[in-house]
Amino acid sequence: FPSHDSHLVASVVPGLRPFLNDIDEPEDGVDIEGDRYARFTKAFSDFTRCLVPEAQPLVMILDDVHWADEKSLSLIDQFFSNANSLRFHLVIGCRLDSVQEGSAFFRFINKFRGLKLRYAEVLLNPLSLDSSCAVVTSLLRQSQPVAADLVEHLVGKSGGVPMRLVELTRRLVALDMIRLNRYYRDWE
């Protein structure tokens, strides 16, 4: 891994800076705009390749990629173009229902869909009422299932999306909109 590119990677991964004390910063700086962007993506690929033993595959998990900006999507794309000799598995968590045709994310997903041997799509359905009840019951630390009308309300507002269900429940507890009835030991 070329030492002059270390600062490029550290400009995006700040946790690396303490390890670069003995390496001089390049004279042209660490700005990753323009021509330096190609150098940065190559440096990022080289850096990642150094972390992965040759006999082991690389598993990269990226969540909420639908929120990524165009530069970040380009970095991921270039990373896999530069690391195509690496054995890798990319797991992308995203919401496809809000993707606009022609957007950078739409083009990004379609490119990976074209890699039939390296791409698989797994669509997750909303949680059922029973599963949602189990999540809320656990979250509220109850030994008995939470009232069905409360669960139905939470599922209706969260769409059965697990993270939304958890965050909505936490928020309602924090706002004291649902609370524990200490007498009946039940949430209302």
Side-chain angles (χ1 to χ4, degrees):
F1 181 63
S3 62
H4 62 276
D5 288 337
S6 302
H7 288 277
L8 283 172
V9 175
S11 69
V12 175
V13 186
L16 295 175
R17 288 191 183 123
F19 302 101
L20 302 179
N21 293 335
D22 300 335
I23 302 172
D24 294 330
E25 189 171 319
E27 292 178 22
D28 58 355
V30 294
D31 182 19
I32 60 170
E33 297 298 322
D35 295 337
R36 293 190 186 121
Y37 185 73
R39 196 173 102 204
F40 168 76
T41 59
K42 176 78 168 95
F44 183 77
S45 296
D46 291 346
F47 167 74
T48 306
R49 194 175 291 120
C50 290
L51 297 176
V52 181
E54 283 187 38
Q56 299 294 319
L58 168 68
V59 176
M60 189 175 283
I61 301 171
L62 306 171
D63 198 16
D64 289 335
V65 177
H66 56 280
W67 292 112
D69 63 6
E70 208 160 328
K71 278 275 197 212
S72 299
L73 294 172
S74 177
L75 173 63
I76 298 165
D77 183 23
Q78 289 298 312
F79 169 77
F80 286 104
S81 295
N82 289 331
N84 62 8
S85 63
L86 212 65
R87 293 182 347 178
F88 68 84
H89 187 79
L90 175 64
V91 178
I92 296 177
C94 61
R95 296 201 45 156
L96 294 176
D97 59 348
S98 60
V99 177
Q100 295 179 3
E101 191 169 333
S103 68
F105 181 67
F106 180 82
R107 291 188 305 275
F108 172 82
I109 287 294
N110 280 334
K111 180 175 182 176
F112 278 93
R113 281 181 175 151
L115 303 174
K116 295 190 186 303
L117 297 177
R118 290 188 166 185
Y119 178 86
E121 197 167 295
V122 178
L123 300 175
L124 302 177
N125 294 319
L127 294 176
S128 68
L129 278 175
D130 287 342
S131 296
S132 296
C133 183
V135 168
V136 174
T137 298
S138 173
L139 191 61
L140 297 177
R141 298 183 179 152
Q142 295 294 288
S143 58
Q144 298 297 315
V146 175
D149 58 337
L150 174 60
V151 174
E152 288 173 14
H153 175 75
L154 293 169
V155 170
K157 293 294 185 183
S158 68
V161 176
M163 184 56 78
R164 287 184 189 164
L165 179 66
V166 168
E167 291 305 316
L168 176 62
T169 304
R170 286 180 177 160
R171 183 78 176 140
L172 293 176
V173 168
L175 293 173
D176 206 29
M177 294 178 79
I178 57 174
R179 58 189 154 284
L180 183 63
N181 180 322
R182 299 204 187 275
Y183 182 74
Y184 292 109
R185 309 254 332 128
D186 194 14
W187 290 84
E188 50 188 33

